[in-house]
Amino acid sequence: MGRIRNRRMVSIILVLIISIVMAGCQSTNQASPDTTKESATTDKANTEKTLTISWPKDIGPLNPHQYTPNEFFAQGMYYEPLIGYGEGGKLVPKLAESWDISEDGKVYTFHLRKNVKFTDGSDFDANVVQKNFDTILANKDMHSWLGVISQIEKTKVIDANTFAVTLKNRYYPALQEFAVVRPLRFLGAAGFPDDGNTAESIKSPITTGPWVLSEYQKDKVAVFTRNDNYWGTKPKINKLIVKVIPDGEARVLALEKGDIDLIYGEGVISLDSFVALRDSGKFETSISDAVASRALIVNTAKGPFADLNVRLALQHAVNKTALVDGVTNGVEKVADTIISSNFPYANVGLKPYDYNVETAKSLLDAAGWKLPEGKDVREKDGKKLEIEMVYMGPDQVEQPMAAAIQSDLKQVGINLKLTGLERELRNKRMETADFDLLFWGTYGAPYDPHNFVSTNYEPGYGIFESQQGLSMKDELHQQMKDVLLTTDETERQKLYTSIFTTLHEQAVYLPISYLTNIAVYPNYVKDLKFPAHRDETPFDTLDIQK
Amino acid sequence: MSKYLLRRVLTMVPVLLGASFVCFLLLRLTPVDPAKAYLSVSNIIPTEETLRAVREQLGLDRPFWSQYVHWLWQLCQLDFGVSFFTKLPVASEVAARLPVTAMLAFSSLAIALIVSIPLGIAAALRKNRAMDHISRVLAFLGASVPQFWLAYLLIYFMAVKMDWFPLQGADTWIHYVLPSITLAFALIATYSRLLRRGLLECLEQPFVLYANARGLRSFTVIGRHVLRHAIRPVVTAAGMNLGKLFAGTVIVEQIFAMPGMGGFFLEAVFHRDYPVIQGYVLIMAFVFILGSLTADMIQAYLDPRLRQSMGKEG
Amino acid sequence: MGVIRNIQWIVGRQRVTTVIPVVLLLIIVLAGIFAPLLAPNDPNFVDLSHKLQGPSPQFPLGTDQLGRCLLSRLLYGTQVSLSLALLIVTACVSIGLVIGSLAGYTGGKVDGIIMRICDAILAIPSLILAISLIAIWGAGWKQMAIALIIVQSVYYTRFIRGMVVNLKQQTYVVAARIMGTSPVRMVTRHIIPNLLPSLFIVVTLEIGWVIMDISALSFLGLGVQAPTPEWGAMINEGKTFIRSHPRLIIAPGVIILCVVALLNIIGETLGDKNGKAIPMRKAAKHSNKLKGGQHEREGNHS
């Protein structure tokens, strides 16, 4: 019981602090008329600019260094990284104005932006950066999925505005990884619990970001107000209301009734509803560039797929266009390569495999899998061509896609057995490479392609294990290790080109589609621009003009 | 009376203890290592060290019986453990969602009683006439309609086609109408038939015949004397149903996207959030036992003979 | 809607006419058995160019969101649901017969322990316990079947034990015992045959409930997995299309309703014929979720 009471106390304190902070913000606002001088009319309009959105889940405690139950999007819009992830993977300054990398590629020195204040008025400086790094590194296990965390040897405050991170080894994606949503974002010093460890909880969400949490009812609503002291371009709207609506259909209804102004995200409404809204003509709909990939991992280590010809036959046998359009109504985009060409280093000009049942059939014939007279499943040495595909059972997209692929493969004489499992059991099958085909997704921007290659060469995920049937596997995996250590851009591109080419030619993945973020909104919402980062949101750039 | 009550409560203790053991056993039957499940929902890569740390933290490294006793002891302090997924105490998580579920369960029960009592009376009084047939058909439908399908029918006709009710959510009382009807439907069938049978049996009792002979109006007879007896099977059924009713909320909350305990439980099932699953199952067992206890109490109140005998005892 | 009229007709005149529901049920069962011959299309063949089409000569009930023939899926679904329900009920009856007659016949400590275990399990609502068991083992039809068997056989055990205790006191059984008949022979020769009529009625009703449980669990994504054409799973797959294509939800539900209603009618009329053979089941009959309660009450009084 003690625990519960503690929580309650924490939330009361939280509310108190927030309201004090809010009061503080408002008074500074009134006290400095210069900032509001620019244009009285726009300012007046601004006061009425409220954007209401919905999210399937509660935003969580807004702890920048924690995972569930924090929602990615909320942490992403609320806290800021040292480096931002821009279009095409270009790295842009955020809280760090600039950065240098030492000759040996191990020491990263960040020149922090000056005159940045947290919402409680405290300064953003190297000491608070150190404080954040301390707690993150104290909980290394929690964050070990992120390569750079386990590479950090030490961190150092050089002066108030200079901060250095030393890595154990060269690791080029370090910079990209400083852009991720969690855990490398910064909480104000007063937000830390007394022991300085944020693994369990924080005192209050103090940020440098463009928004301040001003009202919060768990599982119901969260209200963010524009941070008028924000160092960067201030949002055009001044209030953002996030309503928790768990169900997709209810979200659609809320938009139709005008209760919310925007539906945004990945898989937030059913694909059928998206099309219905688009075709209604009442709303603007848009789809972002590829943010991640959906693919099948082909297990080369055992069974029929040990044979390259069978793998190639698979590439030609699946009608991806019909599959992706049919199941996702065009919300996802057909994928020809495992990593979309809009990702860094991924535009290497690979030739897509075309959908061609005849090619697939002749490849299978060449592999020795012949279709006996009067039967519909191919055989070789008296064994039927049977393949097992593992997918996430309850998934609303994987499940119908699996059924469609089953029918496609039937056309060429392959009997596909579908095994829909819930997450844990599917993960178990993946880790032990106990599958022929497995539905899988990449991490997406900003993690790829470097994260993709590390999941390929590191044993334990099941991907490395599934590539054991490749004759050039050692060379391939060595290239993957090397590429992460490169400091030279051309060398890096060369290695990536080679890696992507091998993966493509060896057909170890069947790329299916690229995931996208969607947005549906009435026409008074303007300037909606999708961020390149998968988990970030467009709320600080869009505008409302009623 | 209090002695009787105490005795009834005491008989519940071993049952609850048994149920808690069943809950505890659940975790032992899993093919997935709970420590691994914990790491997986926490986004931590399972390694030898992290697994050992979590096992220690969750007490999984201790012997079976010691774990059970420890778990029971924590339960006695209302500590159901911490959710793997939300990282908050299960007790407070469930408590936060209880109002929605309780409201749903009780409004269903209320609707069921409000509809089935007049229906049952009408069916009994007009035996084998239109009303009786209607209630009989309703009873068959109630027993044969899948709850989740009924929910979608209501959504389609009442919310999508007619737009009389909101599709989903639990913000205002109007959100509770369709889910409550869904849950009440099967109950109406049971209760009205039980009441009808009870009434028919009672109406043939000598005291009713006597009252009728005395010229009391049938309305008074029914209201004052007969109903009191005839409603007893309904009370028992309602008490017994409480646990089942809460269970039915799992499906209904899921369909109507209500932020209640049932939906939370189902989410926990898909996340393999074992502490939540265990806690919820145990709470359901408690609700079930409480329901039958309450029914017994009301039963005792309704039956003067039982009341008297208890009075002598106590 | 013809079925409902039938219900009214049969039930309306208290005259027991089992023929019509039995014939109707038989038609459905045969349709399931001969699904491969009757179904116009392959139930699992996805053709996305045909998706969400209305009824046509090629697809008599139209197609679903993946262009699969709805009628064919419903027909094959009959196979899935009925065979699974039969499997589960048979297993439950077998377990119930063994443990129930053991407890009832032996009495004493063994009976006490078995009944206490049953009490503990019965204290947890059956659907919740089934879901929890599936949560532990992972979703899938096998796990669902095992979970339902575990949960349901407790009811059978109690039911059969109660009947055995009753029968044990019958004069002919007492007589046989005095004559030195062995316990096993006693149970198999004298007790079980006497249980069968009421057991048959219970099983008829129970199959209906099990079908509903199967469809509910599959609907939640815990039981039979898509793309297997199970009725509950079909409703789950079709639920996002409720606004545009309600028939994807309505059609499978109507079938479940028909099958369960027919089984209920048959069970009820059989029960009426046999007088009050199963009094304690009577009240439970109208609610699929009341089973535990009735047994619990019986347990308290015994």
Side-chain angles (χ1 to χ4, degrees):
Chain A
M1 273 321 255
R3 263 203 139 113
I4 304 170
R5 212 166 283 145
N6 261 341
R7 294 272 168 200
R8 204 167 289 155
M9 277 304 287
V10 168
S11 58
I12 291 169
I13 293 169
L14 200 88
V15 169
L16 268 174
I17 292 175
I18 291 168
S19 47
I20 292 166
V21 169
M22 286 315 299
C25 287
Q26 269 165 5
S27 61
T28 48
N29 214 359
Q30 282 155 0
S32 57
D34 316 309
T35 51
T36 49
K37 226 179 198 174
E38 299 161 43
S39 159
T41 46
T42 48
D43 206 63
K44 202 185 167 202
N46 276 356
T47 54
E48 275 143 44
K49 282 184 181 174
T50 299
L51 180 78
T52 308
I53 64 154
S54 71
W55 204 255
K57 281 185 181 164
D58 185 74
I59 58 164
L62 282 177
N63 181 338
H65 308 141
Q66 210 190 25
Y67 301 89
T68 54
N70 292 278
E71 282 292 294
F72 254 123
F73 98 94
Q75 290 166 304
M77 69 173 230
Y78 201 76
Y79 293 103
E80 292 188 297
L82 290 173
I83 300 175
Y85 184 87
E87 216 157 305
K90 199 172 162 283
L91 297 174
V92 293
K94 284 293 254 197
L95 288 176
E97 262 175 342
S98 63
W99 50 88
D100 318 312
I101 305 170
S102 67
E103 280 286 304
D104 64 356
K106 286 188 187 172
V107 184
Y108 287 69
T109 310
F110 295 94
H111 304 285
L112 305 180
R113 196 174 290 280
K114 292 175 189 113
N115 301 321
V116 173
K117 294 221 181 283
F118 280 102
T119 43
D120 65 344
S122 62
D123 286 328
F124 170 79
D125 58 18
N127 288 321
V128 77
V129 172
Q130 177 72 55
K131 197 172 167 66
N132 278 272
F133 267 91
D134 282 346
T135 181
I136 293 165
L137 294 175
N139 302 301
K140 247 184 189 170
D141 284 343
M142 236 166 105
H143 312 302
S144 61
W145 64 273
L146 191 65
V148 69
I149 301 285
S150 43
Q151 289 294 342
I152 294 178
E153 189 176 78
K154 59 177 188 216
T155 56
K156 195 177 167 203
V157 177
I158 293 174
D159 63 44
N161 294 304
T162 318
F163 185 78
V165 175
T166 309
L167 303 185
K168 293 176 196 152
N169 305 294
R170 270 181 297 153
Y171 182 66
Y172 99 79
L175 285 179
Q176 272 81 2
E177 294 191 350
F178 280 114
V180 304
V181 165
R182 53 200 187 187
L184 289 167
R185 296 203 174 188
F186 300 94
L187 177 72
F192 280 75
D194 294 332
D195 63 358
N197 188 340
T198 54
E200 292 286 322
S201 62
I202 57 167
K203 268 191 189 164
S204 103
I206 297 171
T207 176
T208 57
W211 302 102
V212 186
L213 181 68
S214 53
E215 193 192 322
Y216 174 57
Q217 284 173 277
K218 190 171 172 4
D219 290 324
K220 286 211 171 99
V221 70
V223 181
F224 297 93
T225 317
R226 182 173 62 196
N227 175 4
D228 283 316
N229 295 319
Y230 182 53
W231 61 268
T233 317
K234 293 188 187 75
K236 293 172 190 151
I237 48 171
N238 53 357
K239 207 176 193 187
L240 176 70
I241 301 175
V242 182
K243 285 187 182 169
V244 178
I245 306 182
D247 184 79
E249 283 302 304
R251 224 167 288 139
V252 171
L253 208 74
L255 183 76
E256 282 175 336
K257 285 190 172 167
D259 292 344
I260 58 174
D261 304 316
L262 171 68
I263 289 175
Y264 180 87
E266 255 177 64
V268 282
I269 54 173
S270 79
L271 301 161
D272 188 51
S273 314
F274 179 79
V275 172
L277 288 171
R278 187 181 64 197
D279 296 347
S280 74
K282 286 183 238 162
F283 298 98
E284 311 277 326
T285 54
S286 49
I287 299 171
S288 76
D289 281 339
V291 292
S293 317
R294 185 194 290 285
L296 295 181
I297 301 175
V298 182
N299 193 346
T300 65
K302 64 167 186 130
F305 286 130
D307 186 336
L308 175 62
N309 276 333
V310 182
R311 298 203 294 274
L312 289 173
L314 175 73
Q315 302 281 337
H316 291 288
V318 176
N319 185 355
K320 290 187 214 169
T321 317
L323 176 68
V324 177
D325 287 351
V327 174
T328 75
N329 290 322
V331 169
E332 292 180 12
K333 295 167 182 174
V334 174
D336 290 321
T337 55
I338 179 70
I339 301 288
S340 167
S341 60
N342 66 329
F343 278 65
Y345 312 111
N347 194 1
V348 294
L350 298 169
K351 187 175 169 286
Y353 294 105
D354 61 331
Y355 169 58
N356 191 328
V357 177
E358 291 315 312
T359 318
K361 282 180 181 166
S362 56
L363 280 163
L364 288 172
D365 285 334
W369 293 99
K370 309 271 189 211
L371 198 60
E373 204 66 39
K375 292 195 183 167
D376 46 8
V377 178
R378 287 171 187 269
E379 289 178 13
K380 182 179 176 179
D381 307 330
K383 225 183 131 211
K384 282 189 175 166
L385 183 45
E386 276 172 345
I387 282 165
E388 189 193 20
M389 172 150 84
V390 176
Y391 67 98
M392 205 96 86
D395 192 282
Q396 291 286 343
V397 178
E398 286 187 12
Q399 188 192 83
M401 280 189 170
I405 294 169
Q406 184 183 45
S407 298
D408 276 348
L409 294 187
K410 197 173 179 183
Q411 304 275 49
V412 297
I414 299 176
N415 185 16
L416 184 69
K417 186 180 159 242
L418 298 181
T419 308
L421 298 171
E422 43 99 36
R423 204 186 50 183
E424 285 312 315
L425 294 170
R426 170 221 175 251
N427 291 351
K428 212 170 161 184
R429 294 285 289 270
M430 177 168 173
E431 284 161 17
T432 50
D434 183 12
F435 58 85
D436 293 315
L437 291 172
L438 178 112
F439 253 103
W440 183 68
T442 61
Y443 274 37
Y447 311 98
D448 288 335
H450 57 271
N451 204 296
F452 169 76
V453 299
S454 65
T455 48
N456 272 262
Y457 75 70
E458 269 177 30
Y461 296 105
I463 300 179
F464 173 81
E465 289 78 359
S466 77
Q467 292 174 357
Q468 291 307 306
L470 299 177
S471 56
M472 70 298 291
K473 60 172 192 282
D474 295 334
E475 193 193 338
L476 175 70
H477 293 143
Q478 192 53 48
Q479 285 179 342
M480 289 173 166
K481 281 178 200 162
D482 290 343
V483 75
L484 296 185
L485 303 176
T486 51
T487 44
D488 179 59
E489 276 289 328
T490 26
E491 175 64 16
R492 194 180 298 159
Q493 181 64 64
K494 225 178 95 192
L495 282 168
Y496 268 127
T497 307
S498 167
I499 292 166
F500 288 135
T501 309
T502 310
L503 291 175
H504 188 73
E505 283 172 355
Q506 289 298 317
V508 290
Y509 289 98
L510 175 65
I512 292 181
S513 61
Y514 298 129
L515 305 184
T516 55
N517 274 310
I518 59 147
V520 188
Y521 45 93
N523 59 13
Y524 57 78
V525 175
K526 307 280 185 203
D527 305 337
L528 185 126
K529 200 175 161 302
F530 289 99
H533 192 306
R534 180 181 187 177
D535 307 307
E536 285 188 344
T537 47
F539 309 137
D540 47 354
T541 51
L542 59 72
D543 197 5
I544 287 182
Q545 283 167 9
K546 282 198 182 169
Chain B
M1 181 89 185
S2 59
K3 207 166 178 182
Y4 171 78
L5 207 142
L6 192 71
R7 208 173 57 209
R8 284 293 278 121
V9 171
L10 282 180
T11 57
M12 294 301 177
V13 171
V15 178
L16 202 56
L17 211 64
S20 80
F21 188 66
V22 174
C23 288
F24 182 73
L25 212 60
L26 279 178
L27 199 66
R28 311 284 124 198
L29 296 170
T30 168
V32 173
D33 182 352
K36 223 168 182 176
Y38 176 86
L39 290 175
S40 166
V41 291
S42 315
N43 275 318
I44 301 174
I45 296 170
T47 61
E48 283 299 311
E49 298 129 66
T50 50
L51 278 174
R52 199 175 320 118
V54 170
R55 277 199 196 107
E56 209 167 297
Q57 188 193 330
L58 300 177
L60 295 169
D61 51 346
R62 272 181 274 177
F64 181 84
W65 288 107
S66 138
Q67 278 185 50
Y68 179 58
V69 171
H70 180 71
W71 185 66
L72 264 188
W73 176 239
Q74 285 186 317
L75 284 183
C76 293
Q77 298 161 308
L78 283 183
D79 180 357
F80 289 80
V82 175
S83 159
F84 284 3
F85 188 66
T86 66
K87 305 277 188 280
L88 295 174
V90 175
S92 64
E93 287 286 52
V94 168
R97 290 167 174 83
L98 182 68
V100 170
T101 305
M103 169 84 182
L104 179 60
F106 285 108
S107 62
S108 310
L109 200 61
I111 292 180
L113 290 175
I114 290 168
V115 176
S116 57
I117 291 176
L119 195 64
I121 295 174
L125 292 186
R126 302 271 176 276
K127 195 181 164 192
N128 289 336
R129 307 265 279 278
M131 219 38 205
D132 195 20
H133 297 323
I134 291 172
S135 90
R136 196 170 285 142
V137 172
L138 259 180
F140 264 107
L141 283 179
S144 317
V145 175
Q147 229 163 31
F148 62 96
W149 185 64
L150 179 65
Y152 278 112
L153 283 190
L154 289 174
I155 288 181
Y156 181 67
F157 288 107
M158 300 297 192
V160 175
K161 277 246 151 148
M162 292 308 179
D163 199 18
W164 287 339
F165 295 97
L167 266 181
Q168 279 148 330
D171 301 335
T172 56
W173 68 269
I174 201 147
H175 286 91
Y176 286 86
V177 175
L178 294 185
S180 305
I181 293 176
T182 309
L183 284 173
F185 197 69
L187 300 184
I188 292 172
T190 318
Y191 297 170
S192 62
R193 296 313 282 174
L194 277 176
L195 188 62
R196 172 184 176 273
R197 180 147 14 92
L199 281 172
L200 286 179
E201 275 164 18
C202 266
L203 285 173
E204 281 154 25
Q205 299 273 324
F207 77 95
V208 178
L209 295 177
Y210 170 71
N212 273 332
R214 240 174 52 181
L216 288 174
R217 288 177 55 212
S218 66
F219 188 78
T220 327
V221 178
I222 296 271
R224 226 185 254 162
H225 307 286
V226 183
L227 203 54
R228 198 176 189 129
H229 284 267
I231 204 154
R232 288 179 43 210
V234 179
V235 170
T236 309
M240 295 298 175
N241 262 353
L242 210 58
K244 309 274 171 189
L245 193 59
F246 270 85
T249 60
V250 174
I251 294 178
V252 170
E253 280 174 14
Q254 159 90 355
I255 294 173
F256 289 94
M258 303 177 90
M261 274 157 62
F264 185 59
F265 166 65
L266 211 57
E267 211 177 305
V269 164
F270 284 109
H271 286 135
R272 288 185 177 261
D273 192 342
Y274 295 123
V276 173
I277 297 173
Q278 282 182 323
Y280 180 80
V281 172
L282 205 63
I283 291 170
M284 280 304 111
F286 188 69
V287 167
F288 177 78
I289 288 170
L290 209 65
S292 60
L293 199 64
T294 314
D296 276 6
M297 295 296 121
I298 298 175
Q299 204 68 269
Y301 173 78
L302 285 176
D303 189 341
R305 282 165 302 175
L306 203 55
R307 213 175 352 165
Q308 266 172 16
S309 69
M310 272 187 299
K312 274 175 208 152
E313 255 182 54
Chain C
M1 285 290 113
V3 177
I4 288 167
R5 214 170 295 133
N6 280 332
I7 296 171
Q8 203 174 7
W9 186 77
I10 295 159
V11 183
R13 348 214 142 151
Q14 298 270 305
R15 297 253 324 139
V16 179
T17 317
T18 22
V19 183
I20 289 174
V22 168
V23 168
L24 286 173
L25 189 69
L26 219 60
I27 292 174
I28 295 179
V29 173
L30 288 175
I33 294 172
F34 294 107
L37 299 176
L38 293 171
N41 297 288
D42 178 344
N44 288 326
F45 191 76
V46 174
D47 184 350
L48 289 160
S49 60
H50 284 139
K51 74 172 192 172
L52 297 169
Q53 280 182 356
S56 65
Q58 196 194 346
F59 304 109
L61 287 177
T63 60
D64 70 0
Q65 68 283 0
L66 293 175
R68 294 174 295 197
C69 172
L70 191 56
L71 178 66
S72 308
R73 289 181 71 69
L74 288 176
L75 286 170
Y76 276 90
T78 313
Q79 258 182 5
V80 175
S81 297
L82 289 181
S83 48
L84 254 179
L86 266 180
L87 173 86
I88 290 168
V89 172
T90 315
C92 288
V93 169
S94 319
I95 294 172
L97 272 179
V98 173
I99 303 179
S101 40
L102 178 77
Y105 193 82
T106 343
K109 240 182 199 164
V110 178
D111 185 30
I113 292 171
I114 293 177
M115 284 306 105
R116 291 297 81 73
I117 295 173
C118 288
D119 279 345
I121 297 179
L122 283 169
I124 303 165
S126 62
L127 187 71
I128 301 278
L129 187 59
I131 292 176
S132 309
L133 286 170
I134 299 170
I136 297 305
W137 293 323
W141 72 269
K142 283 178 206 150
Q143 293 90 316
M144 171 185 70
I146 297 171
L148 284 177
I149 289 169
I150 290 179
V151 172
Q152 304 283 357
S153 42
V154 178
Y155 299 106
Y156 285 88
T157 304
R158 291 208 68 138
F159 170 64
I160 289 162
R161 177 215 168 244
M163 307 246 343
V164 170
V165 169
N166 269 340
L167 283 173
K168 218 166 73 173
Q169 277 133 30
Q170 302 281 325
T171 31
Y172 70 96
V173 180
V174 176
R177 195 161 50 193
I178 293 167
M179 278 157 67
T181 320
S182 80
V184 175
R185 195 181 155 82
M186 188 80 104
V187 170
T188 49
R189 291 294 294 275
H190 295 287
I191 293 189
I192 290 183
N194 276 294
L195 284 177
L196 285 180
S198 5
L199 204 55
F200 183 71
I201 298 160
V202 173
V203 163
T204 313
L205 293 167
E206 192 78 24
I207 289 178
W209 295 323
V210 170
I211 287 177
M212 286 227 268
D213 283 350
I214 292 172
S215 68
L217 290 170
S218 304
F219 165 76
L220 291 174
L222 297 169
V224 179
Q225 298 291 308
T228 307
E230 196 281 333
W231 298 326
M234 285 170 73
I235 294 179
N236 187 25
E237 279 186 274
K239 71 183 177 194
T240 50
F241 300 89
I242 188 164
R243 288 150 164 271
S244 47
H245 302 88
R247 82 191 139 79
L248 295 181
I249 284 180
I250 292 175
V254 168
I255 303 272
I256 304 176
L257 174 63
C258 290
V259 172
V260 179
L262 288 172
L263 283 165
N264 279 349
I265 292 168
I266 296 167
E268 172 123 331
T269 38
L270 283 176
D272 283 353
K273 264 188 182 167
N274 281 273
K276 296 210 166 178
I278 44 160
M280 53 158 213
R281 299 292 282 202
K282 273 244 158 182
K285 207 176 288 183
H286 300 298
S287 157
N288 59 328
K289 292 291 156 251
L290 194 70
K291 286 170 276 176
Q294 291 302 316
H295 290 288
E296 177 70 24
R297 187 164 56 151
E298 178 222 6
N300 288 343
H301 288 209
S302 62

